[in-house]
Amino acid sequence: MGEGKADIGDILQRAAELNISRRSLLKGGMALGGLLALSGCSMLERSYYKSTPAIAEGPAQEFLSACPRNCFDTCSMVVSVKNGVIRKVAADPRNTFTGNSLCVKGYAYTNKVYDPNRIKYPMMQTPRGSGNWKRISWDEALDTIGKKILDLKDRYGSTLPVCMNKYSGNFNIWHYCVEGLMNSLGHISLVMGTPCWPAGIDAQGYDYGFMWNTDPEDFVKTKHFMLWGVNPAWTSIHTMKFINKAREQNGAKLVVIDPICTATASKADLYIQIRPSTDGALALGMARYILDNNLHDRNWLEKNSKGFPEFADYLKKNVTVDWASKTTGVPKSVIEQVAREFATAKPACTWIGYGFQRHINGGQSVRNVDALAAMTGNATRPGGGANYGHLATWGFNYHAMVMKQPEGSIGVESPDGKMTHRNINMNNFGRMVLEAKNPPIKMLWTACRNTVSQDPDAPIVKKALDSLEMVVVVDHSFTRTAQMADIILPTTTHFEHPGVNVSYWHYWIAAVEKCIEPLYESKTDLEIAWALSKKMNQLQPGSCTYPTEGTLAEWTEKEINDGINKLFGIKGWKDLAKKGPQKAHFPNPGYSDNKFKTPSGKYEFVSETAAKDGHPALSLYKEPMPIPKDYPIRFITPHSRTAIHSQFQHNPWMMAIFPEPYLEIHPDLAKEKGIREGDMVRVYNDLGEVRIKAKFTRVVPKDVIAGYENWFWKSDFNLNNTVKAIPADMGKRNTGNPGIAFHDNFVNIEKA
Ligand SMILES: Nc1nc2c(c(=O)[nH]1)N[C@H]1C(S)=C(S)[C@@H](COP(=O)(O)OP(=O)(O)OC[C@H]3O[C@@H](n4cnc5c(=O)[nH]c(N)nc54)[C@H](O)[C@@H]3O)O[C@H]1N2
Ligand SMILES: Nc1nc2c(c(=O)[nH]1)N[C@H]1C(S)=C(S)[C@@H](COP(=O)(O)OP(=O)(O)OC[C@H]3O[C@@H](n4cnc5c(=O)[nH]c(N)nc54)[C@H](O)[C@@H]3O)O[C@H]1N2
Ligand SMILES: [Mo]
């Protein structure tokens, strides 16, 4: 990692040595009455829309911050504080990707921090799910948890009955302390993988060696955009600025391919309403047209690629534009037109969204789109690229994570004879917890994660939680998962501690300064790790190797190394905080030097690595999932404008502007089912059901309905009640487990 550019190989190897999951590095029915009475919320609920503290007098002080949510944009922010109270959160324009504005969620931070429904104290619920919450002290909470871990270790001879599920609540670097803490207890049942982007990572791994998107600020150079299953008008609003600039300055054309006419699609020059999960056929149909019309970049292909002749041969024998048109539902003339325009515009930029690859053929479809970008010479052209994401700025020390197990810790034997954690697939979490044997799973520690809300198979996840002896949730919100906990531990927001953040999309780094004191009795995840380790060692010396003290400032500084310093032109975290956000200076962003990390060192149309992993070596077409007879309607559940997953939407300001979820339904389908606009609709399949209000719209085709994943305060609306844990085709190589086909979700509907 000496050069600062994260060598993912190094990081993964280091993680593997320490038995830390790859996923940790890769985006790594409570009854309310009782609770509200205890926490003082009943009073606060009455002033629901006035939740920020009274105006504080005195001079404002400004602090640097960065939004640590799992989002492309990872905005740099400036926070104004008066008398210890946050008054304003604004964009930091020194980060030129962030520019002058935040998103609707960023501006709602003052409300999120002071949300009256924040978890304020450690609390215990007896019995679980009853709503009978009691405030307890930190000492009692940690003592109870520590004794349970030791009891399980005693009964089963190892810490394998302890399971940990963490994902993307907070991407501040030292938040990997959660993995570190668990690693320090011994080998556990570790939830590995990611629900987010794994199929695409593996796909780009086969083609490029590893994903590495071009600098999105370079989108201004582009002449032609093809956005495949990505909705930046909601999910990356800052990238839209650069797309719009290219349209103004270069007359760039914007093509959007999505089964839903999204907010992004509505602004496009050309919107292609594709049949879901058939994008591979569109890409290959375009490729065939480009080949037939000699519009491919022979020069680039000869020098920089491997296997193009085989790919061309496949196209000639197996692909026609007619076939592509029939498969995708896109008219032949449109395929031909867009193929010609894409191949002749230089540079042409392709952006593959994460929503795109959440299908059983998602990874293979990414390879098909990659191939299209490569054959036109756009794979590495500045302002071009087949852009997906990157980890090139993530070369930190992971000091908070890298911990060793106690001596003699017993785990699962890996093929090379080493002890490791037991791999619990994040994308099949519920079932794997229920089915774990020898030893069974008995306890769950979860932080930065809302499994009941965000994971597929929600009804099975609930059963799994019910089956455990203890569930511990560290969070600031009373999430659905928290409602099923025995113990909840209140944690800080990023305004209450220092930290450091980078993005998996843009190239900036930003320091996070502590702006205010931790609210109520909340502690950072890192302080919780120190405190639990201390408690464990009091209860049984040597039972936890995690350090027991430190300062947050020191631990933040310890994440920075020479490589990071060099890459960003800084001298440690303090210097970064002094200078403000900094941008990485890569000599070869997005493989613009055409040096790939594949075995051949070239772009690979034919990948032996893919073949070794059981996939086609060639970038050929993979069929979508057949539509089940009893459940003929596809239910797509993408991301919401007013939330990051289960965060923000439930906060008072957001509830005020957007109080309830809606189901997008085509009027013709609604008519067939006897549903009127505004009716409650029961959406169901053999897994479960969800009830949502119908909103008539023609943005969805007749055989597709859409609802946006979200958590509304006091609502039991959960889209994942119907989403089954069906694996995507790829993801295991780089993230430990395959991705999840969220959008191969089939249901039926009726008036509720
Ligand atoms: N406001 C907001 N921003 C976010 C997030 C959020 O929750 N809210 N989440 C962040 C995270 S973690 C992520 S992963 C990203 C996700 O960012 P995106 O990938 O932009 O968003 P998604 O909503 O997952 O999916 C985008 C689109 O994929 C489409 N899609 C589904 N199946 C297909 C298909 O077969 N073909 C094609 N062409 N399109 C298809 C959906 O209709 C949807 O419009 O956004 C990040 N930014
Ligand atoms: N149906 C459907 N489901 C999906 C998706 C979809 O498109 N459709 N998208 C999937 C994707 S792409 C993703 S990335 C996942 C996201 O899944 P998660 O990562 O679970 O989602 P979040 O709701 O962002 O965050 C989880 C929790 O972290 C908490 N949190 C925030 N900051 C901190 C902190 O500092 N410490 C601790 N301990 N907790 C904190 C939040 O309050 C929240 O409750 O969801 C997936 N689920
Ligand atoms: Mo995600």
Side-chain angles (χ1 to χ4, degrees), residues 734-751:
N734 284 293
T735 72
N737 283 306
I740 149 101
F742 276 114
H743 300 316
D744 289 331
N745 177 30
F746 292 94
V747 296
N748 216 327
I749 57 170
E750 63 185 19
K751 189 170 172 326

Side-chain angles (χ1 to χ4, degrees), residues 168 175 358 449-450 454 474-475 525 637 639 646-647 720:
S168 66
H175 267 79
R358 295 184 189 132
R449 184 78 177 118
N450 189 356
Q454 294 312 121
V474 186
D475 209 305
D525 289 84
T637 58
H639 298 193
S646 63
Q647 306 194 57
N720 283 320

